[in-house]
Amino acid sequence: MANSKLAQQSETSNSNEASTREIVVLRWGHRPQRDVRLTTHVALAARAFGASGFILSDTFDEHLKASVEKVTKSWGGSFRFEMGTPWKTALADWKAKGGTVVHLTIYGENVESSDALSRKRTSGKDVLLLVGSQKVPPEFYSAEVSDFNVAVGNQPHSECAAVAVFLDRFFEGKELAKGFGNAKVRVVGQVRGKKIEVDRRF
Amino acid sequence: MANSKLAQQSETSNSNEASTREIVVLRWGHRPQRDVRLTTHVALAARAFGASGFILSDTFDEHLKASVEKVTKSWGGSFRFEMGTPWKTALADWKAKGGTVVHLTIYGENVESSDALSRKRTSGKDVLLLVGSQKVPPEFYSAEVSDFNVAVGNQPHSECAAVAVFLDRFFEGKELAKGFGNAKVRVVGQVRGKKIEVDRRF
């Protein structure tokens, strides 16, 4: 079984840090074609809100990959996209390098009213953020898989919203003010109208 | 031209308050069928993160309406769904009752690095949260339409993520701990596993 490249890269980049350096989003249960727009939104939200990579587990979707990589190429940064890795492999690799696993689920501890997020922070480990769909394997809730089961509210909404809000809270909002290196295209926020800067070097 | 019911209801419920009582999300540019899943996610995120209603402007989508109302019926609360109202009518009604309009756009003032959110808070008015798609009419950026153009980050991601994070920040996270009245189904968040309570009275 092939190892997860993202887990291995993370191990290297992380060896000198005691605190959380990175979050990688693992999307389980994607159905090619049917889910391509939603999963693209999840991946782009992951990138925009500070995750360093995205694993589309157990399946391949070249169209999705192309959409996400096109955004990264234009808008900068080094967001990594991986697909096809079995979720058990990605998880085992992540745990082997000392990372922690947060499973986002409506059934978990409420991110607002519980202390799940601060307990996670105290652990200081890198996070694999496991995002499923309506029917995830029951073992996702077990201690063998998830270190934390976190609910971004206990109401039904959207995996895209859940990923974005979890990351926004985790990084305490700072991720939205950070720039992306090597960007061909950059928006300069305005009170009115649109301003785009294009860097022809990239 | 029919008035927007949501704007009128809001006026009544608001007459004794000096501060923001409610946020209604207006979704512009929905394409029935093609966008139904994404817009459903936007509407459910609006509900879960504390908005009191949703206007699908300028078009009708019975499938979307049924999905959103089914969730509200089971999971409680009084989230209001309206469709078909022309955006100009909804906007005029909102402004006529003293509400403010926040347009979510990648080109706007960054919600993290600007003071747009605190300026909005100071205004104390109810908010119509205008969410477009890739190509909105240029007048959305004008002072006649939007009081604030706010970017939930200046990177491309998802209208669903943008709505969720804007509301989470606006309500300072408190919306995720609030219960919904008259709920048939309720999740009790758990460290492990799933717990659902069903109230047979509703």
Side-chain angles (χ1 to χ4, degrees), chain B residues 66-172:
Chain B
S67 299
V68 175
E69 291 186 342
K70 192 177 162 193
V71 167
T72 302
K73 203 173 168 194
S74 293
W75 293 81
S78 54
F79 189 69
R80 308 186 304 274
F81 186 95
E82 172 178 319
M83 63 183 176
T85 317
W87 72 267
K88 288 189 178 175
T89 306
L91 206 97
D93 288 351
W94 196 263
K95 296 212 165 188
K97 62 112 190 170
T100 195
V101 176
V102 174
H103 174 212
L104 289 184
T105 163
I106 188 175
Y107 300 105
E109 295 180 90
N110 190 302
V111 73
E112 173 67 16
S113 56
S114 81
D115 63 352
L117 198 59
S118 61
R119 271 159 39 227
K120 160 60 208 95
R121 276 217 188 81
T122 312
S123 84
K125 296 175 178 175
D126 287 351
V127 176
L128 187 67
L129 194 59
L130 198 52
V131 187
S133 52
Q134 288 191 313
K135 288 275 175 202
V136 299
E139 62 223 87
F140 274 26
Y141 298 92
S142 72
E144 288 68 43
V145 172
S146 52
D147 298 294
F148 299 88
N149 286 286
V150 175
V152 181
N154 298 107
Q155 293 289 321
H157 51 86
S158 164
E159 49 273 51
C160 181
V163 164
V165 170
F166 180 87
L167 292 172
D168 192 47
R169 287 175 172 234
F170 191 86
F171 292 121
E172 296 172 324

Side-chain angles (χ1 to χ4, degrees), chain A residues 158-198:
Chain A
S158 164
E159 49 274 50
C160 181
V163 164
V165 170
F166 180 87
L167 292 173
D168 192 46
R169 287 175 173 234
F170 191 86
F171 292 121
E172 295 173 324
K174 297 183 186 76
E175 79 290 348
L176 288 185
K178 273 179 25 184
F180 284 74
N182 304 332
K184 214 180 271 187
V185 184
R186 198 171 73 88
V187 161
V188 185
Q190 303 285 305
V191 174
R192 305 249 163 243
K194 305 179 181 183
K195 186 173 178 186
I196 290 183
E197 287 181 351
V198 178

Side-chain angles (χ1 to χ4, degrees), chain A residues 139-161:
Chain A
E139 60 222 270
F140 274 27
Y141 298 91
S142 72
E144 287 69 42
V145 172
S146 52
D147 298 294
F148 300 88
N149 285 286
V150 174
V152 180
N154 299 108
Q155 294 287 323
H157 51 87
S158 164
E159 49 274 50
C160 181

